[in-house]
Amino acid sequence: MFKPQYPTPDTYTPVTIRPTPQSPEPPATSAAPVPAPKTSGIGALVTQSPGTALALVAGGVAGVLALASVAVSLLLAVAVTAVALSVSSIVVLLLVRALRQELGR
């Protein structure tokens, strides 16, 4: 009754694609190929697409600004909490002094 019943597996068989053999081409008589210069990192990005590099820099700046705004808002929240606690402590201190004076009479 509580035994799970699994569906039967699919009977899909993948189709294999085999390349057709081509006739050999005659050897080229040109000069030896010149290897392309290897660039890596930001240099390759700039040489291939300056727009992408500009977008990357803009994204980095936007990320830094977003993190800075989060940090500033956290510091502001801490400052507001500190001010609220100091004001409430002063109010409690004044209330305690007022109660002591009334009870002392």
Coordinates of all heavy atoms in Angstrom, one line a residue:
M1 N 0.8 -1.2 0.0 CA 0.0 0.0 0.0 C 0.9 1.3 0.0 O 0.6 2.2 -0.7 CB -0.9 0.0 1.2 CG -1.8 1.2 1.3 SD -2.9 1.0 2.7 CE -3.4 2.6 3.0
F2 N 1.9 1.3 0.9 CA 2.8 2.5 0.9 C 4.0 2.3 0.1 O 5.0 3.1 0.2 CB 3.1 2.8 2.4 CG 2.0 3.2 3.2 CD1 1.5 2.3 4.2 CD2 1.3 4.4 3.0 CE1 0.4 2.7 4.9 CE2 0.2 4.7 3.8 CZ -0.2 3.9 4.7
K3 N 4.1 1.3 -0.8 CA 5.2 1.1 -1.6 C 5.1 2.0 -2.8 O 4.1 2.0 -3.5 CB 5.3 -0.3 -2.0 CG 6.6 -0.8 -2.6 CD 6.6 -2.3 -2.8 CE 8.0 -2.7 -3.1 NZ 8.0 -4.2 -3.3
P4 N 6.2 2.8 -3.1 CA 6.1 3.7 -4.2 C 6.1 3.0 -5.6 O 6.8 1.9 -5.7 CB 7.4 4.6 -4.1 CG 8.3 3.8 -3.3 CD 7.5 2.9 -2.4
Q5 N 5.4 3.5 -6.5 CA 5.4 2.9 -7.9 C 6.1 3.9 -8.8 O 5.6 5.0 -9.0 CB 4.0 2.6 -8.3 CG 3.3 1.5 -7.4 CD 1.9 1.2 -7.9 OE1 1.5 1.8 -8.9 NE2 1.3 0.3 -7.2
Y6 N 7.2 3.4 -9.4 CA 7.9 4.3 -10.3 C 7.5 4.1 -11.7 O 7.1 2.9 -12.1 CB 9.4 4.0 -10.2 CG 10.0 4.2 -8.8 CD1 10.3 3.2 -7.9 CD2 10.2 5.5 -8.3 CE1 10.8 3.4 -6.7 CE2 10.7 5.7 -7.1 CZ 11.0 4.7 -6.2 OH 11.5 4.9 -5.0
P7 N 7.5 5.1 -12.5 CA 7.1 4.9 -13.9 C 8.2 4.1 -14.7 O 9.3 4.1 -14.3 CB 7.0 6.4 -14.4 CG 7.9 7.2 -13.5 CD 7.8 6.5 -12.2
T8 N 7.7 3.5 -15.7 CA 8.7 2.7 -16.5 C 9.6 3.7 -17.2 O 9.3 4.8 -17.6 CB 7.9 1.9 -17.6 OG1 7.2 2.8 -18.4 CG2 7.0 0.9 -17.0
P9 N 10.9 3.3 -17.4 CA 11.9 4.2 -18.0 C 11.6 4.4 -19.5 O 11.0 3.5 -20.1 CB 13.2 3.4 -17.8 CG 12.9 2.0 -17.5 CD 11.5 2.0 -16.9
D10 N 12.1 5.5 -20.0 CA 11.9 5.8 -21.4 C 12.7 4.9 -22.2 O 13.8 4.4 -21.8 CB 12.3 7.3 -21.7 CG 11.3 8.2 -21.0 OD1 10.2 7.9 -20.7 OD2 11.8 9.4 -20.8
T11 N 12.3 4.7 -23.4 CA 13.1 3.8 -24.3 C 13.8 4.6 -25.4 O 14.0 4.2 -26.5 CB 12.1 2.8 -25.0 OG1 11.1 3.6 -25.7 CG2 11.5 1.9 -24.0
Y12 N 14.2 5.8 -25.0 CA 14.9 6.7 -26.0 C 16.4 6.2 -26.2 O 17.1 5.9 -25.3 CB 15.0 8.1 -25.4 CG 15.9 9.1 -26.2 CD1 15.4 9.5 -27.4 CD2 17.1 9.4 -25.8 CE1 16.2 10.4 -28.2 CE2 17.9 10.3 -26.5 CZ 17.4 10.8 -27.7 OH 18.2 11.6 -28.4
T13 N 16.7 6.1 -27.5 CA 18.1 5.7 -27.8 C 18.7 6.9 -28.5 O 18.2 7.4 -29.5 CB 18.1 4.5 -28.7 OG1 17.3 4.7 -29.9 CG2 17.6 3.3 -28.0
P14 N 19.8 7.4 -28.1 CA 20.4 8.6 -28.7 C 20.9 8.3 -30.1 O 21.4 7.2 -30.4 CB 21.5 9.0 -27.8 CG 21.9 7.8 -27.0 CD 20.6 7.0 -26.9
V15 N 20.8 9.2 -31.0 CA 21.3 9.1 -32.4 C 22.7 9.5 -32.4 O 23.0 10.6 -32.0 CB 20.4 9.9 -33.3 CG1 20.9 9.7 -34.8 CG2 18.9 9.5 -33.2
T16 N 23.6 8.7 -33.0 CA 25.0 9.1 -33.1 C 25.2 9.6 -34.5 O 24.7 9.0 -35.5 CB 25.9 7.9 -32.9 OG1 25.5 6.8 -33.8 CG2 25.7 7.4 -31.4
I17 N 25.9 10.7 -34.6 CA 26.2 11.4 -35.9 C 27.6 11.1 -36.2 O 28.5 11.5 -35.4 CB 25.8 12.9 -35.9 CG1 24.4 13.0 -35.6 CG2 26.2 13.5 -37.2 CD1 24.0 14.5 -35.4
R18 N 27.9 10.5 -37.3 CA 29.3 10.2 -37.7 C 29.6 11.1 -38.9 O 28.9 11.2 -39.9 CB 29.5 8.8 -38.0 CG 29.2 7.9 -36.8 CD 29.4 6.5 -37.1 NE 29.0 5.7 -36.0 CZ 29.0 4.4 -35.9 NH1 29.4 3.7 -36.9 NH2 28.7 3.8 -34.8
P19 N 30.8 11.8 -38.8 CA 31.2 12.6 -40.0 C 31.5 11.8 -41.2 O 32.0 10.7 -41.1 CB 32.4 13.4 -39.5 CG 32.9 12.5 -38.4 CD 31.8 11.8 -37.8
T20 N 31.1 12.4 -42.4 CA 31.5 11.7 -43.6 C 32.9 12.0 -44.0 O 33.4 13.1 -43.8 CB 30.5 12.1 -44.7 OG1 30.7 13.5 -44.9 CG2 29.1 11.8 -44.4
P21 N 33.6 11.0 -44.5 CA 35.0 11.2 -44.9 C 35.1 12.1 -46.1 O 34.3 12.0 -47.0 CB 35.6 9.8 -45.1 CG 34.4 9.0 -45.4 CD 33.2 9.6 -44.7
Q22 N 36.1 13.0 -46.1 CA 36.2 14.0 -47.2 C 37.5 13.6 -47.9 O 38.4 13.0 -47.4 CB 36.3 15.4 -46.7 CG 35.1 15.9 -46.0 CD 35.2 17.3 -45.5 OE1 36.3 17.9 -45.6 NE2 34.1 17.8 -45.0
S23 N 37.5 14.0 -49.2 CA 38.7 13.7 -50.0 C 39.9 14.6 -49.5 O 39.7 15.7 -49.1 CB 38.4 14.0 -51.4 OG 38.1 15.3 -51.6
P24 N 41.1 14.1 -49.5 CA 42.2 14.9 -49.0 C 42.5 16.0 -50.0 O 42.4 15.9 -51.2 CB 43.4 13.9 -49.0 CG 43.0 12.8 -49.9 CD 41.5 12.7 -49.9
E25 N 42.8 17.2 -49.4 CA 43.1 18.4 -50.2 C 44.6 18.4 -50.5 O 45.4 17.9 -49.7 CB 42.7 19.6 -49.4 CG 41.2 19.7 -49.1 CD 40.9 20.9 -48.4 OE1 41.7 21.8 -48.2 OE2 39.7 21.0 -47.9
P26 N 45.0 19.1 -51.6 CA 46.4 19.2 -51.9 C 47.1 20.1 -50.9 O 46.5 21.0 -50.4 CB 46.4 19.8 -53.3 CG 45.1 20.4 -53.5 CD 44.1 19.6 -52.6
P27 N 48.3 19.8 -50.5 CA 49.0 20.7 -49.5 C 49.2 22.1 -50.0 O 49.4 22.4 -51.2 CB 50.4 20.0 -49.4 CG 50.6 19.2 -50.6 CD 49.2 18.8 -51.1
A28 N 49.0 23.0 -49.1 CA 49.1 24.4 -49.4 C 50.6 24.8 -49.6 O 51.5 24.3 -48.9 CB 48.5 25.3 -48.3
T29 N 50.9 25.7 -50.5 CA 52.3 26.1 -50.8 C 52.6 27.5 -50.2 O 53.6 28.1 -50.6 CB 52.6 26.1 -52.3 OG1 51.6 27.0 -52.9 CG2 52.4 24.7 -52.9
S30 N 51.8 27.9 -49.3 CA 52.0 29.3 -48.8 C 53.1 29.2 -47.7 O 53.6 28.1 -47.3 CB 50.7 29.8 -48.2 OG 50.4 29.0 -47.1
A31 N 53.5 30.4 -47.2 CA 54.5 30.5 -46.2 C 54.0 29.9 -44.8 O 52.8 29.7 -44.7 CB 55.0 31.9 -46.0
A32 N 54.9 29.7 -43.9 CA 54.5 29.2 -42.6 C 53.5 30.1 -41.9 O 53.8 31.4 -42.0 CB 55.7 28.9 -41.7
P33 N 52.5 29.7 -41.3 CA 51.6 30.6 -40.6 C 52.3 31.3 -39.4 O 53.0 30.7 -38.7 CB 50.5 29.7 -40.1 CG 51.1 28.3 -40.0 CD 52.1 28.3 -41.1
V34 N 51.9 32.5 -39.2 CA 52.4 33.3 -38.1 C 51.5 33.1 -36.9 O 50.3 33.4 -37.1 CB 52.5 34.8 -38.5 CG1 53.0 35.7 -37.4 CG2 53.4 35.0 -39.8
P35 N 52.1 32.7 -35.8 CA 51.2 32.5 -34.6 C 50.7 33.9 -34.1 O 51.4 34.9 -34.2 CB 52.1 31.9 -33.6 CG 53.5 32.2 -34.0 CD 53.4 32.4 -35.5
A36 N 49.4 33.9 -33.7 CA 48.8 35.1 -33.2 C 49.4 35.4 -31.8 O 49.7 34.5 -31.0 CB 47.3 34.9 -33.1
P37 N 49.6 36.7 -31.5 CA 50.1 37.0 -30.2 C 49.1 36.6 -29.1 O 47.9 36.8 -29.2 CB 50.3 38.5 -30.3 CG 49.3 39.0 -31.3 CD 49.2 37.9 -32.3
K38 N 49.6 36.1 -28.0 CA 48.8 35.6 -26.9 C 48.6 36.8 -25.9 O 49.5 37.4 -25.4 CB 49.4 34.5 -26.2 CG 49.4 33.2 -27.0 CD 50.0 32.0 -26.2 CE 50.0 30.8 -27.1 NZ 50.4 29.6 -26.3
T39 N 47.3 37.1 -25.7 CA 47.0 38.1 -24.7 C 46.0 37.5 -23.7 O 45.2 36.6 -24.0 CB 46.3 39.3 -25.3 OG1 45.2 38.9 -26.0 CG2 47.3 40.1 -26.3
S40 N 46.1 37.9 -22.5 CA 45.2 37.3 -21.5 C 44.7 38.4 -20.5 O 45.3 39.5 -20.4 CB 46.0 36.3 -20.7 OG 47.1 36.9 -20.0
G41 N 43.7 38.1 -19.8 CA 43.2 39.0 -18.8 C 42.5 40.2 -19.5 O 41.8 40.2 -20.5
I42 N 42.7 41.4 -18.8 CA 42.0 42.6 -19.3 C 42.6 43.1 -20.6 O 41.9 43.6 -21.4 CB 42.2 43.7 -18.2 CG1 41.6 43.4 -16.9 CG2 41.7 45.1 -18.7 CD1 40.1 43.2 -16.9
G43 N 43.8 42.8 -20.9 CA 44.4 43.2 -22.2 C 43.7 42.5 -23.3 O 43.4 43.2 -24.3
A44 N 43.3 41.3 -23.2 CA 42.6 40.6 -24.3 C 41.2 41.2 -24.4 O 40.7 41.3 -25.5 CB 42.5 39.1 -24.0
L45 N 40.6 41.5 -23.3 CA 39.3 42.1 -23.3 C 39.2 43.5 -24.0 O 38.4 43.7 -24.8 CB 38.7 42.2 -21.9 CG 37.3 42.7 -21.8 CD1 36.3 41.7 -22.3 CD2 37.0 43.0 -20.3
V46 N 40.3 44.3 -23.7 CA 40.3 45.6 -24.3 C 40.6 45.5 -25.8 O 40.0 46.2 -26.6 CB 41.4 46.5 -23.6 CG1 41.6 47.8 -24.3 CG2 40.9 46.7 -22.2
T47 N 41.5 44.6 -26.2 CA 41.8 44.5 -27.6 C 40.7 44.0 -28.4 O 40.5 44.3 -29.6 CB 43.1 43.7 -27.9 OG1 42.9 42.4 -27.3 CG2 44.3 44.3 -27.2
Q48 N 39.9 43.1 -27.8 CA 38.8 42.5 -28.6 C 37.5 43.4 -28.6 O 36.9 43.5 -29.6 CB 38.4 41.2 -28.0 CG 39.5 40.1 -28.2 CD 39.1 38.8 -27.5 OE1 38.1 38.7 -26.9 NE2 40.0 37.9 -27.6
S49 N 37.2 44.0 -27.5 CA 36.0 44.8 -27.5 C 36.1 45.9 -26.4 O 36.0 45.7 -25.2 CB 34.8 44.0 -27.2 OG 35.0 43.3 -26.0
P50 N 36.4 47.2 -26.8 CA 36.5 48.2 -25.9 C 35.2 48.6 -25.2 O 35.2 49.0 -24.0 CB 37.0 49.4 -26.7 CG 37.4 48.9 -28.0 CD 36.8 47.6 -28.2
G51 N 34.1 48.3 -25.8 CA 32.8 48.6 -25.2 C 32.6 47.7 -24.0 O 32.0 48.1 -23.0
T52 N 33.0 46.4 -24.1 CA 32.9 45.5 -23.0 C 33.7 45.9 -21.8 O 33.3 45.8 -20.7 CB 33.2 44.1 -23.5 OG1 32.5 43.7 -24.6 CG2 33.0 43.0 -22.4
A53 N 34.9 46.4 -22.1 CA 35.8 46.8 -21.0 C 35.2 48.0 -20.3 O 35.3 48.1 -19.1 CB 37.2 47.1 -21.6
L54 N 34.6 48.9 -21.1 CA 34.0 50.1 -20.5 C 32.8 49.6 -19.6 O 32.6 50.2 -18.5 CB 33.5 51.0 -21.6 CG 32.9 52.3 -21.1 CD1 34.0 53.1 -20.3 CD2 32.4 53.1 -22.3
A55 N 32.0 48.7 -20.1 CA 30.9 48.2 -19.3 C 31.4 47.5 -18.0 O 30.8 47.6 -17.0 CB 30.1 47.2 -20.2
L56 N 32.5 46.8 -18.1 CA 33.1 46.1 -17.0 C 33.5 47.2 -15.9 O 33.2 47.0 -14.7 CB 34.3 45.3 -17.4 CG 34.3 43.9 -16.8 CD1 35.4 43.1 -17.6 CD2 34.6 43.8 -15.4
V57 N 34.1 48.2 -16.4 CA 34.6 49.3 -15.4 C 33.3 50.0 -14.8 O 33.3 50.2 -13.6 CB 35.5 50.3 -16.2 CG1 35.7 51.5 -15.3 CG2 36.8 49.6 -16.5
A58 N 32.3 50.2 -15.6 CA 31.1 50.9 -15.1 C 30.4 50.0 -14.1 O 29.9 50.4 -13.1 CB 30.2 51.2 -16.3
G59 N 30.4 48.7 -14.4 CA 29.8 47.7 -13.4 C 30.6 47.7 -12.1 O 30.0 47.6 -11.0
G60 N 31.9 47.8 -12.2 CA 32.7 47.8 -11.0 C 32.5 49.0 -10.2 O 32.3 48.9 -8.9
V61 N 32.4 50.1 -10.8 CA 32.1 51.4 -10.1 C 30.7 51.4 -9.5 O 30.5 51.8 -8.3 CB 32.2 52.6 -11.1 CG1 31.7 53.9 -10.5 CG2 33.7 52.8 -11.5
A62 N 29.7 50.8 -10.2 CA 28.4 50.7 -9.7 C 28.4 49.8 -8.4 O 27.7 50.1 -7.5 CB 27.4 50.2 -10.7
G63 N 29.1 48.7 -8.5 CA 29.2 47.8 -7.4 C 29.8 48.5 -6.1 O 29.3 48.3 -5.0
V64 N 30.9 49.2 -6.4 CA 31.5 49.9 -5.2 C 30.6 50.9 -4.6 O 30.5 51.1 -3.4 CB 32.9 50.5 -5.7 CG1 33.4 51.5 -4.7 CG2 33.9 49.5 -6.0
L65 N 29.9 51.7 -5.5 CA 29.0 52.7 -5.0 C 27.8 52.0 -4.2 O 27.4 52.6 -3.2 CB 28.4 53.5 -6.1 CG 29.4 54.5 -6.7 CD1 28.7 55.2 -7.9 CD2 29.9 55.5 -5.7
A66 N 27.3 50.9 -4.7 CA 26.3 50.2 -4.0 C 26.7 49.7 -2.6 O 26.0 49.9 -1.6 CB 25.8 49.0 -4.8
L67 N 27.9 49.2 -2.5 CA 28.5 48.7 -1.3 C 28.7 49.9 -0.3 O 28.5 49.8 0.9 CB 29.7 47.9 -1.5 CG 29.6 46.5 -2.0 CD1 30.9 45.9 -2.3 CD2 28.7 45.7 -1.1
A68 N 29.2 51.0 -0.9 CA 29.4 52.2 0.0 C 28.1 52.7 0.5 O 28.0 53.1 1.7 CB 30.1 53.3 -0.8
S69 N 27.0 52.7 -0.3 CA 25.8 53.2 0.2 C 25.2 52.3 1.3 O 24.6 52.8 2.3 CB 24.8 53.4 -0.9 OG 24.5 52.1 -1.5
V70 N 25.4 51.0 1.2 CA 25.0 50.1 2.2 C 25.7 50.3 3.5 O 25.2 50.3 4.6 CB 25.1 48.6 1.7 CG1 24.9 47.6 2.9 CG2 24.1 48.3 0.6
A71 N 27.0 50.5 3.4 CA 27.9 50.8 4.6 C 27.5 52.1 5.3 O 27.4 52.1 6.5 CB 29.3 50.8 4.2
V72 N 27.2 53.1 4.5 CA 26.8 54.4 5.1 C 25.5 54.3 5.8 O 25.3 54.8 6.9 CB 26.8 55.5 4.0 CG1 26.1 56.7 4.5 CG2 28.2 55.8 3.6
S73 N 24.5 53.5 5.2 CA 23.2 53.4 5.8 C 23.3 52.6 7.1 O 22.6 52.9 8.0 CB 22.2 52.7 4.8 OG 22.7 51.4 4.5
L74 N 24.2 51.6 7.1 CA 24.4 50.8 8.3 C 25.0 51.7 9.4 O 24.6 51.7 10.6 CB 25.3 49.6 8.1 CG 24.7 48.4 7.4 CD1 25.7 47.4 7.0 CD2 23.6 47.8 8.2
L75 N 26.0 52.5 9.1 CA 26.6 53.4 10.1 C 25.5 54.5 10.6 O 25.5 54.8 11.7 CB 27.8 54.1 9.5 CG 29.0 53.3 9.3 CD1 30.1 54.0 8.5 CD2 29.5 52.8 10.6
L76 N 24.7 54.9 9.7 CA 23.7 55.9 10.0 C 22.7 55.2 11.0 O 22.2 55.8 12.0 CB 22.9 56.4 8.8 CG 21.9 57.4 9.0 CD1 22.5 58.7 9.6 CD2 21.2 57.8 7.7
A77 N 22.3 53.9 10.7 CA 21.4 53.2 11.6 C 22.0 53.1 13.0 O 21.3 53.2 14.0 CB 21.1 51.9 11.0
V78 N 23.3 52.8 13.1 CA 24.0 52.7 14.4 C 24.0 54.0 15.1 O 23.8 54.1 16.3 CB 25.5 52.2 14.2 CG1 26.3 52.3 15.5 CG2 25.4 50.7 13.7
A79 N 24.2 55.1 14.4 CA 24.3 56.4 15.0 C 22.9 56.8 15.5 O 22.7 57.4 16.6 CB 24.7 57.5 14.0
V80 N 21.8 56.5 14.7 CA 20.5 56.9 15.2 C 20.1 56.0 16.4 O 19.5 56.6 17.4 CB 19.5 56.6 14.0 CG1 18.0 56.6 14.5 CG2 19.7 57.6 12.9
T81 N 20.5 54.8 16.4 CA 20.3 53.9 17.6 C 21.0 54.5 18.8 O 20.4 54.5 19.9 CB 20.7 52.5 17.3 OG1 20.0 52.1 16.1 CG2 20.4 51.6 18.5
A82 N 22.2 54.9 18.7 CA 23.0 55.5 19.8 C 22.3 56.7 20.3 O 22.2 56.9 21.6 CB 24.4 55.7 19.3
V83 N 21.9 57.6 19.5 CA 21.2 58.8 19.9 C 19.9 58.5 20.6 O 19.6 59.1 21.7 CB 21.0 59.8 18.7 CG1 20.0 60.9 19.1 CG2 22.3 60.3 18.2
A84 N 19.2 57.5 20.1 CA 17.9 57.2 20.7 C 18.1 56.6 22.1 O 17.4 56.9 23.1 CB 17.1 56.2 19.9
L85 N 19.2 55.7 22.2 CA 19.5 55.2 23.6 C 20.0 56.2 24.5 O 19.6 56.2 25.7 CB 20.5 54.1 23.4 CG 20.0 52.7 22.8 CD1 21.2 51.8 22.6 CD2 19.0 52.1 23.8
S86 N 20.7 57.2 24.1 CA 21.2 58.2 25.0 C 20.1 59.1 25.5 O 20.0 59.5 26.6 CB 22.3 59.0 24.4 OG 21.8 59.7 23.2
V87 N 19.2 59.4 24.6 CA 18.0 60.3 25.0 C 17.1 59.5 25.9 O 16.7 60.0 26.9 CB 17.2 60.7 23.7 CG1 15.9 61.3 24.1 CG2 18.0 61.7 22.9
S88 N 16.9 58.2 25.6 CA 16.0 57.5 26.5 C 16.7 57.3 27.9 O 16.0 57.2 28.9 CB 15.7 56.1 25.9 OG 16.8 55.4 25.7
S89 N 18.0 57.1 27.9 CA 18.7 57.0 29.2 C 18.6 58.2 30.0 O 18.4 58.2 31.3 CB 20.1 56.6 29.0 OG 20.8 57.6 28.4
I90 N 18.6 59.4 29.4 CA 18.5 60.7 30.1 C 17.1 60.8 30.6 O 16.9 61.2 31.8 CB 18.9 61.8 29.2 CG1 20.4 61.8 28.9 CG2 18.4 63.2 29.8 CD1 20.8 62.8 27.8
V91 N 16.1 60.4 29.9 CA 14.7 60.5 30.3 C 14.5 59.6 31.5 O 13.9 59.9 32.5 CB 13.7 60.1 29.2 CG1 12.3 59.9 29.7 CG2 13.8 61.2 28.1
V92 N 15.0 58.3 31.4 CA 14.9 57.4 32.6 C 15.6 58.0 33.8 O 15.1 57.9 34.9 CB 15.4 56.0 32.2 CG1 15.6 55.1 33.4 CG2 14.5 55.4 31.1
L93 N 16.8 58.6 33.6 CA 17.5 59.1 34.8 C 16.7 60.3 35.4 O 16.6 60.3 36.6 CB 18.8 59.7 34.3 CG 19.7 60.3 35.3 CD1 20.2 59.3 36.4 CD2 20.9 61.0 34.7
L94 N 16.1 61.1 34.6 CA 15.2 62.2 35.1 C 14.0 61.7 35.9 O 13.6 62.2 36.9 CB 14.8 63.2 34.0 CG 16.0 64.0 33.4 CD1 15.5 64.8 32.3 CD2 16.6 64.9 34.5
L95 N 13.4 60.6 35.3 CA 12.2 60.0 36.0 C 12.6 59.4 37.3 O 11.9 59.5 38.3 CB 11.6 59.0 35.1 CG 10.8 59.5 33.9 CD1 10.4 58.4 33.0 CD2 9.7 60.3 34.3
V96 N 13.8 58.7 37.4 CA 14.2 58.1 38.6 C 14.5 59.2 39.7 O 14.1 59.1 40.8 CB 15.4 57.2 38.4 CG1 16.1 56.8 39.7 CG2 15.0 56.0 37.6
R97 N 15.1 60.3 39.3 CA 15.4 61.4 40.2 C 14.1 62.0 40.7 O 13.9 62.4 41.9 CB 16.3 62.5 39.6 CG 17.7 62.0 39.4 CD 18.5 63.2 38.9 NE 19.9 62.7 38.8 CZ 20.9 63.5 38.2 NH1 20.6 64.6 37.7 NH2 22.1 63.0 38.1
A98 N 13.1 62.2 39.8 CA 11.8 62.7 40.2 C 11.1 61.8 41.2 O 10.5 62.3 42.2 CB 11.0 63.0 39.0
L99 N 11.2 60.5 41.0 CA 10.5 59.6 41.9 C 11.2 59.6 43.2 O 10.6 59.5 44.3 CB 10.5 58.2 41.3 CG 9.5 57.9 40.2 CD1 9.7 56.5 39.6 CD2 8.1 58.0 40.8
R100 N 12.5 59.7 43.3 CA 13.3 59.8 44.5 C 12.9 61.0 45.3 O 12.8 61.0 46.6 CB 14.8 59.7 44.3 CG 15.3 58.4 44.0 CD 16.8 58.4 44.0 NE 17.4 57.1 43.7 CZ 18.6 56.9 43.4 NH1 19.5 57.9 43.4 NH2 19.0 55.7 43.2
Q101 N 12.7 62.1 44.6 CA 12.4 63.4 45.3 C 11.0 63.3 45.9 O 10.7 63.8 47.0 CB 12.5 64.6 44.4 CG 13.9 64.9 44.1 CD 14.0 66.1 43.1 OE1 13.0 66.6 42.7 NE2 15.3 66.5 42.8
E102 N 10.0 62.7 45.2 CA 8.7 62.6 45.7 C 8.6 61.6 46.9 O 7.9 61.8 47.8 CB 7.7 62.1 44.6 CG 7.4 63.1 43.6 CD 6.5 62.6 42.5 OE1 5.9 61.5 42.7 OE2 6.3 63.3 41.5
L103 N 9.4 60.5 46.8 CA 9.3 59.5 47.9 C 10.1 60.1 49.1 O 9.8 59.6 50.2 CB 9.9 58.2 47.4 CG 9.1 57.4 46.4 CD1 9.8 56.2 46.0 CD2 7.7 57.1 46.9
G104 N 11.0 60.9 48.9 CA 11.8 61.5 50.0 C 11.0 62.5 50.9 O 11.4 62.7 52.0
R105 N 10.0 63.0 50.4 CA 9.2 64.1 51.2 C 8.5 63.5 52.3 O 8.1 62.8 52.8 CB 8.3 64.8 50.3 CG 8.9 65.7 49.3 CD 7.9 66.4 48.5 NE 8.6 67.2 47.5 CZ 8.0 68.0 46.7 NH1 6.7 68.0 46.6 NH2 8.7 68.7 45.8

